[in-house]
């Protein structure tokens, strides 16, 4: 069993931990050994959040060593740059096209990098970068909070897990009233990736 | 066989449940909080949020004395609060199995220090078990109860953040029934620690420790994994998992029981390998014990004594020490990125008070203006409201441990500082240990101003109940201790209760309280927005009226931002509308409104 090392990052409140729970549950159902760990700051909201997920035949450390992640799923652009050094040189970065400036930026003490600067920074770590309009896609479906499911759908093209297993894990983790729209969000993410995906 | 994906904390809860635990008590604290939350979802087990960790240990100890299995859970600094109760239980021993979980936080993800709880195991002469993943968290929790009863001792279960907050697979085993028919047996020689009885008891504890180290020699919780013999690694907890990844071929002695150590087992292992290395986070605890036995080992000469380990940390340290060669260099993170520290939430009831304090104390300054020397001395405490220390608010001057703020302020006042010091404390922390400090301040006539920021919950750890909220661990409403009644009952004459979203009243109450000659208590009350989840129509900003002065930015609300072109906007997705209105109240130009802006 080959398996994958996946880093999911974003801003507190965006649903990073929920997304990594869905993926971990799917990997369990697919028969892998799974370890995942979330590193959170002090507060409930607003800080930088990173979740490490590893599944394979055998997993020792739940933390992914720097430079060894197969996949970086970033819910926000600045956070993509902050954690990009975990990527393998041929690892894929799936980056939501969303800027959430931290308070230091809105107060004017620090600056938010331009799209070109961000792409330059990311390119230093990997050549395989996908900027995905996931927030817009989720908003089109009626709920911008579903950005995590859109990105999971997009990322599903890179995983060694059947899409059916992924969707059943997502369904099992959501209350009834959210299931249908989230499955649509997952499919939207898959469709967004379909045109660009090539098996690396 | 059933396989579950559980966090270490959930696995400890399930392990305790399957061991037949009847009573569990805790005070929330990262990374331990979810143990109690998981137990509260299991029927037939009594669970409670105790008012502090000492109380939790005492409740669990009392239950153990009746013959049922009991558990108390906390974070490492909570064990300081519970130290006296812990030592008392270590001395009397137990009847039903008694497990005390103290979760350490290497790397200080969410704590005020990174002390190593194993030192308390040595102090109390009680065994310390250290799981390295969720399966072990489950198994060790079960084993801990059994060891506790077999050796008449409380057992310290010490997971670390990375075990507590990692999920891995658990295969549960058969359940023991929950303890029934609790009955107290009178045994003053064991349970009443007057000096005569305590002297007898202490000799038994020394003998208990000897028996425990013999048990550790053959216990399945300690494991030897045979590999190449040039390198033999002694490791505990999560360090074992990291070391296994970095040195896949080495021999390992994995210590599930890190105190007391199995001397013969370690001596044999060390004798069979070329180079015995100890890999452990934080203190060189095992290393020091082994050296005291005359076993030559290394570890802390090249491994860090502070911070969290990872495979990278161990690999880099080993490469520097020449233990491994040819390690590939790791990419460094991108530099110069804007930092993203945690924030008070939009609509946080603490924000308005902090803004007022900040403006009165010369702390807040519009971007581009020179900072003035702060006025006002503000003693803080542990909770969400510690975030008031970050810019743009910047109003916390001290923060030590739970309940310290009020006593810090009292100490400053008694020392004779000219300005009346302020102490800021949350409702849950006030119940935890702030009340002790307040009673002292009343008694000793400390001229201070105490502000209790009452958001009705223990917000930082995830909205747990406490005596002032009256919400139980199962989420049911029960008896509530009314903070203002408690404060008045403690003898405070001047108590004011103020709406957290009324800036004018907050300012005038603060002015009055700071100018008075006596002890004053202000209770600033407003619901935690992430708990209430109420949302009104977002406030609107009139682009015509706004001159982008930036005054509203000084609240530190993440729903208000300055865009690239210098224009200020309100994020409608984040703003709580009329549930907050702080920015509306301080906009001098009346540019912010709750109604549709016409034109």
């Amino acid at each position: 069993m080959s398996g994958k090392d996946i880093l999911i990052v974003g801003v507190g409140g965006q649903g990073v931990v929920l997304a990594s729970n869905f993926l971990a549950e799917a990997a369990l159902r697919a028969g892998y050994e799974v370890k995942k760990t979330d590193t959170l700051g002090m507060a409930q909201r607003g800080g930088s959040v990173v979740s490490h997920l590893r599944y394979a035949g055998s997993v020792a450390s739940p933390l992914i060593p720097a430079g060894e992640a197969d996949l970086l799923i970033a819910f926000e652009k600045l956070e993509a740059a902050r954690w990009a050094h975990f990527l393998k040189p041929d690892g894929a970065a799936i980056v939501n096209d969303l800027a959430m400036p931290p308070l230091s930026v809105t107060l004017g003490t620090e600056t938010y990098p331009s799209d070109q600067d961000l792409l330059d920074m990311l390119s230093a770590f990997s050549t395989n970068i996908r900027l995905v309009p996931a927030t817009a896609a989720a908003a089109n479906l009626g709920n911008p909070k579903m950005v995590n499911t859109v990105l999971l759908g997009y990322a599903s093209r890179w995983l060694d897990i059947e899409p059916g297993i992924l969707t059943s894990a997502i369904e099992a983790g959501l209350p009834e009233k959210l299931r249908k729209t989230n499955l649509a969000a997952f499919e939207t993410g898959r469709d967004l990736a379909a045109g660009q995906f090539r098996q690396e | 066989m059933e396989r579950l994906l559980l966090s270490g904390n959930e696995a400890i809860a399930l392990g305790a449940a399957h061991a037949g635990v009847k009573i569990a008590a805790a005070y929330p604290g990262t990374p331990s909080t979810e143990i109690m939350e998981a137990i509260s979802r299991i029927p037939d087990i009594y669970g409670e949020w105790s008012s502090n960790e000492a109380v939790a240990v005492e409740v669990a100890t009392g239950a153990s004395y009746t013959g049922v299995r009991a558990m108390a859970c906390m974070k490492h600094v909570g064990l300081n609060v519970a130290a006296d109760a812990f030592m008392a239980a270590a001395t009397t021993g137990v009847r039903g199995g008694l497990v005390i979980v103290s979760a350490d936080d290497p790397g200080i993800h969410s704590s005020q220090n990174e002390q190593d709880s194993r030192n308390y195991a040595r102090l109390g002469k009680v065994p310390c078990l250290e799981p390295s993943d969720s399966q072990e968290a489950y198994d060790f929790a079960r084993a801990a109860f059994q060891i506790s009863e077999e050796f008449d001792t409380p057992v310290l279960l010490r997971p670390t953040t990375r075990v507590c907050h990692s999920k891995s697979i658990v295969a549960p085993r058969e359940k023991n029934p929950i303890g029934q028919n609790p009955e107290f047996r009178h045994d003053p020689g064991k349970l009443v620690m007057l000096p005569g009885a305590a002297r007898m008891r202490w000799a038994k504890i020394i003998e208990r420790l000897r028996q425990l180290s013999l048990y550790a020699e053959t216990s399945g919780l300690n494991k030897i994994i045979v590999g190449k013999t040039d390198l033999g690694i002694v490791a505990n907890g999560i360090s074992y998992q990291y070391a296994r990844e970095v040195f896949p071929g080495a021999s390992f002695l994995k210590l599930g029981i890190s105190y007391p150590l199995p001397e013969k087992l370690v001596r044999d292992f060390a004798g069979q390998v070329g180079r015995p290395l100890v890999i452990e986070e934080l203190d060189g605890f095992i290393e020091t014990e082994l050296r005291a036995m005359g076993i030559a080992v290394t570890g802390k000469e090249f491994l860090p004594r502070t911070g969290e380990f990872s495979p990278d940390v161990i690999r880099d340290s080993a490469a520097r020490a020449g233990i491994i060669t040819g390690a590939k260099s790791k990419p460094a993170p991108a530099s110069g990125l804007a930092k993203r520290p945690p924030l008070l939430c939009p609509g946080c009831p603490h924000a308005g008070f902090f803004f007022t304090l900040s403006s009165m104390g010369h702390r807040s300054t519009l971007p581009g203006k020179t900072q003035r020397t702060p006025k006002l001395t503000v003693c803080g405490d542990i909770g969400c409201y510690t975030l008031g220390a970050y810019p743009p608010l910047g109003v916390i001057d001290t923060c030590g441990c739970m309940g310290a703020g009020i006593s810090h302020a009292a100490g400053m006042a008694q020392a004779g500082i000219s300005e009346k010091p302020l102490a800021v404390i949350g409702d849950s922390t006030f119940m935890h240990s702030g009340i002790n400090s307040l009673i002292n301040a009343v008694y000793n006539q400390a001229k201070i101003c105490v502000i209790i920021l009452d958001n009705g919950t223990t917000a930082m750890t995830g909205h747990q109940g406490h005596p002032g909220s009256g919400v139980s661990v199962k989420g049911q409403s029960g008896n509530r201790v009314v903070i203002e009644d408690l404060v008045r009952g403690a003898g405070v004459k001047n108590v004011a209760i103020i709406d957290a979203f009324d800036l004018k009243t907050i300012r005038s109450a603060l002015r009055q309280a700071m100018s008075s000659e006596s002890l004053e208590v202000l209770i600033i009350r407003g619901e935690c927005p992430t708990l209430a989840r109420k949302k009104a129509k977002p406030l609107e900003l009139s682009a015509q009226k706004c001159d982008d002065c930036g005054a509203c930015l000084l609240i530190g609300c993440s729903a208000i931002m300055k865009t690239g072109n210098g224009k200020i906007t309100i994020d409608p997705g984040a703003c709580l509308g009329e549930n907050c209105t702080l920015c509306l109240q301080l906009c001098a130009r009346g540019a912010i409104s709750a109604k549709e802006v016409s034109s």
Side-chain angles (χ1 to χ4, degrees), chain B residues 269-299:
Chain B
F269 179 77
Q272 284 163 19
V273 295
R275 180 169 187 173
L277 283 183
V278 182
I279 298 184
E280 58 186 322
E281 278 178 322
L282 304 185
D283 292 347
F285 182 86
I286 295 168
E287 192 175 331
T288 304
E289 289 284 317
L290 295 185
R291 289 232 174 108
M293 293 172 188
I295 302 171
V297 291
T298 57

Side-chain angles (χ1 to χ4, degrees), chain B residues 148-432:
Chain B
S148 171
E149 286 170 8
E150 189 176 336
F151 293 92
D152 186 16
T153 177
V155 174
L156 186 67
L157 184 64
R158 182 228 187 203
T160 54
T161 302
R162 198 54 58 202
V163 173
C164 295
H165 288 174
S166 291
K167 283 193 176 194
S168 58
I169 298 168
V170 174
R173 294 180 290 118
E174 79 295 343
K175 293 182 208 174
N176 292 351
I178 292 175
Q180 297 300 330
N181 307 320
E183 179 206 4
F184 180 70
R185 289 190 206 140
H186 299 269
D187 189 356
K190 174 172 162 62
L191 300 180
V192 184
M193 288 299 100
L194 285 161
R199 266 181 228 117
M200 303 288 286
R201 198 58 217 158
W202 202 245
K204 288 199 167 127
I205 287 162
I206 304 295
E207 172 57 18
R208 176 178 81 191
L209 190 64
R210 198 182 69 81
Q211 294 294 335
L212 279 163
S213 58
L214 290 177
Y215 170 82
E217 298 283 0
T218 55
S219 164
L221 301 182
N222 294 326
K223 276 196 301 209
I224 286 180
I225 297 101
V226 180
K228 286 187 225 148
T229 52
D230 52 334
L231 203 59
I233 295 168
V234 180
N236 64 324
I238 193 72
S239 303
Y240 163 73
Q241 301 290 3
Y242 300 152
R244 184 158 83 95
E245 180 157 322
V246 177
F247 306 103
S251 290
F252 284 92
L253 169 56
K254 179 187 181 301
L255 291 171
I257 306 174
S258 59
Y259 188 82
L261 290 176
E263 184 169 348
K264 185 174 177 307
L265 186 69
V266 190
R267 205 176 285 286
D268 289 351
F269 179 77
Q272 284 163 19
V273 295
R275 180 169 187 173
L277 283 183
V278 182
I279 298 184
E280 58 186 322
E281 278 178 322
L282 304 185
D283 292 347
F285 182 86
I286 295 168
E287 192 175 331
T288 304
E289 289 284 317
L290 295 185
R291 289 232 174 108
M293 293 172 188
I295 302 171
V297 291
T298 57
K300 288 296 171 189
E301 286 140 274
F302 68 98
L303 286 160
R305 285 167 190 275
T306 62
E308 187 180 20
F309 281 8
S310 66
D312 284 336
V313 167
I314 294 174
R315 190 180 288 111
D316 293 350
S317 303
R320 271 197 303 274
I323 295 163
I324 47 175
T325 50
K328 47 183 178 174
S329 65
K330 295 280 178 187
S335 61
L337 296 177
K339 291 180 284 297
R340 196 187 294 276
L343 294 174
L344 296 176
C345 306
C348 175
H350 307 332
F353 165 73
F354 279 148
F355 166 78
T356 308
L357 208 55
S358 181
S359 65
M360 290 168 74
H362 292 178
R363 309 281 179 124
S364 58
T365 311
L366 289 172
K369 302 233 169 124
T370 326
Q371 205 96 31
R372 288 177 288 176
T373 309
K375 291 203 304 185
L376 306 182
T377 302
V378 185
C379 299
D381 224 299
I382 309 273
C384 280
Y385 50 92
T386 321
L387 299 175
Y390 285 119
L393 300 163
V395 281
I396 304 290
D397 294 310
T398 70
C399 173
C401 60
M402 296 283 279
I406 296 174
S407 310
H408 283 169
M412 290 175 183
Q414 308 294 19
I417 65 166
S418 54
E419 289 283 337
K420 189 174 182 179
L422 292 100
V424 176
I425 187 167
D427 46 336
S428 187
T429 311
F430 180 71
M431 289 293 168
H432 176 280

